[in-house]
Amino acid sequence: MGISKQLSALKAAINELLPDLHSTSACERYGLSRDAFSVILLEVGEKYVSDSATGAEIRTFFLSLRVEELALARACAEGYNPAWEVFLTRYREKLYQSALRIAREDSAARELADTLYADLYGTTLRDGKRVSKLATYTGRGSLEGWLRTVLAQEYVNRYRRTRRLVSLDEESEEGTQFRAVEGEEVVLADPRLEQAIDEALAQLAAEDRTVLSAYFLDDCTLAEIARLLGVHESTISRKIDKLTRQIRKQILAGLGRRGMGRRQAEEALEVDVRDLQLNIRRSLTQDSAAATFSKKKADTR
């Protein structure tokens, strides 16, 4: 689907769903107009909806968004006081508790949380406009999970800024449990999540690992994967859908075996896998199949 056709399809779906989505989102409570919310939905759709998505798939995507949390976050980003009152009531204590679990000391946790509040509120200006991290929330996962991710990123960034002044041996003795890689934005992942993901991916057949690696890590299109494997594009689409549902189920089961409750496990999986410091590529390229596929792909470009 061309860019203009995709845009038209997105707008058509939004126009059809907007009355219900706007009502569900509580936009009016937060001070966000219907037109402004429509623009936000279009922005999210343009970023995440595939060019080849059908009208039904586009509608399913928009209906899957957490529109109430999306409206709250974006209204806060615009500086609307009613939204901030709700946000602080709902998330202030949760953010401090999350910061305390990360920093393990009260004053450090409060400093970390306060720094995040400043970034969320938008104390810096760009072209005369406030810049708020909340403007990047897209509603694909829970706002609470997203906030924990941003909080952990800030902690890692602080660690990276100061680690030249503190020896890594000292940090290890203090109980630091993570390693930051230069040039990457990473978050702290529960080791049980890494174990469960590795376990689930290790059970995949070689071709399945190849397809997932190509699609999620190498940004191949369905058509490219289908062409190089000699099958129809729809076959790859169905395979990816089936594999992702199967892997999610296996990971949840693996987290359960490792002591996580259902809700905790669901929240752990709300973080985008690309944001985690997990060696997913290692797990998906255990054999030579994915490497061979990558070489073929490079040869065609």
Side-chain angles (χ1 to χ4, degrees):
M1 181 185 301
I3 294 177
S4 59
K5 288 185 177 180
Q6 183 202 29
L7 186 60
S8 296
L10 289 171
K11 288 182 176 179
I14 290 171
N15 288 336
E16 176 186 341
L17 299 173
L18 189 58
D20 288 339
L21 293 179
H22 183 262
S23 175
T24 303
S25 67
C27 282
E28 293 182 357
R29 177 186 181 190
Y30 303 140
L32 200 62
S33 72
R34 180 167 169 163
D35 288 343
F37 193 57
S38 176
V39 171
I40 292 168
L41 291 172
L42 182 60
E43 171 204 320
V44 174
E46 287 184 300
K47 187 173 183 180
Y48 294 109
V49 174
S50 167
D51 291 349
S52 61
T54 65
E57 289 171 336
I58 293 174
R59 289 191 293 275
T60 297
F61 171 79
F62 284 124
L63 290 172
S64 72
L65 296 177
R66 295 174 179 256
V67 289
E68 192 270 341
E69 294 174 13
L70 177 60
L72 174 61
R74 295 306 186 89
C76 286
E78 292 298 324
Y80 298 143
N81 287 332
W84 272 108
E85 291 173 4
V86 173
F87 180 86
L88 292 176
T89 299
R90 190 180 297 179
Y91 296 108
R92 187 168 191 168
E93 182 60 26
K94 292 179 179 179
L95 274 177
Y96 167 70
Q97 292 299 330
S98 294
L100 186 60
R101 283 193 292 271
I102 293 172
R104 301 182 182 181
E105 194 273 321
D106 183 75
S107 61
R110 294 192 182 281
E111 182 181 355
L112 178 62
D114 288 344
T115 299
L116 180 60
Y117 284 133
D119 289 340
L120 295 176
Y121 187 74
T123 56
T124 59
L125 297 177
R126 184 179 300 158
D127 298 328
K129 185 177 180 180
R130 290 175 39 242
V131 179
S132 166
K133 279 187 179 293
L134 284 166
T136 65
Y137 174 69
T138 60
R140 293 189 302 151
S142 75
L143 180 55
E144 183 177 345
W146 181 87
L147 288 168
R148 286 199 302 270
T149 299
V150 175
L151 190 67
Q153 286 177 333
E154 174 60 26
Y155 183 70
V156 172
N157 291 340
R158 282 172 165 237
Y159 165 76
R160 290 166 59 191
R161 287 194 294 267
T162 61
R163 65 179 177 173
R164 294 177 182 173
L165 305 178
V166 182
S167 75
L168 293 180
D169 287 340
E170 288 180 37
E171 291 291 337
S172 296
E173 291 172 1
E174 291 297 320
T176 301
Q177 298 294 317
F178 64 92
R179 177 180 63 203
V181 179
E182 284 296 335
E184 294 182 2
E185 290 292 336
V186 300
V187 303
L188 304 180
D190 188 313
R192 293 175 294 178
L193 178 57
E194 180 171 6
Q195 294 162 9
I197 291 175
D198 281 344
E199 182 182 80
L201 296 180
Q203 297 175 26
L204 293 175
E207 182 176 302
D208 293 340
R209 285 199 295 272
T210 297
V211 170
L212 292 178
S213 177
Y215 187 75
F216 290 109
L217 300 181
D218 296 327
D219 295 323
C220 294
T221 65
L222 295 175
E224 286 176 327
I225 301 171
R227 183 167 59 251
L228 292 173
L229 291 181
V231 298
H232 195 275
E233 181 177 338
S234 62
T235 300
I236 300 300
S237 178
R238 289 194 298 271
K239 179 184 283 289
I240 290 174
D241 182 64
K242 179 180 178 180
L243 286 173
T244 51
R245 285 187 281 108
Q246 171 188 322
I247 291 171
R248 178 181 175 81
K249 184 177 180 179
Q250 291 174 338
I251 293 173
L252 288 172
L255 292 174
R257 289 193 297 272
R258 289 168 174 82
M260 276 197 189
R262 181 74 182 189
R263 181 176 178 181
Q264 184 183 7
E266 291 278 1
E267 290 180 350
L269 282 180
E270 285 172 355
V271 178
D272 191 325
V273 70
R274 291 164 297 183
D275 295 333
L276 297 174
Q277 182 61 4
L278 303 177
N279 199 342
I280 302 298
R281 186 174 293 277
R282 178 202 65 208
S283 299
L284 286 176
T285 56
Q286 295 176 32
D287 47 64
S288 60
T292 300
F293 181 91
S294 296
K295 183 178 184 303
K296 288 183 179 178
K297 177 174 180 288
D299 291 341
T300 61
R301 291 188 168 181

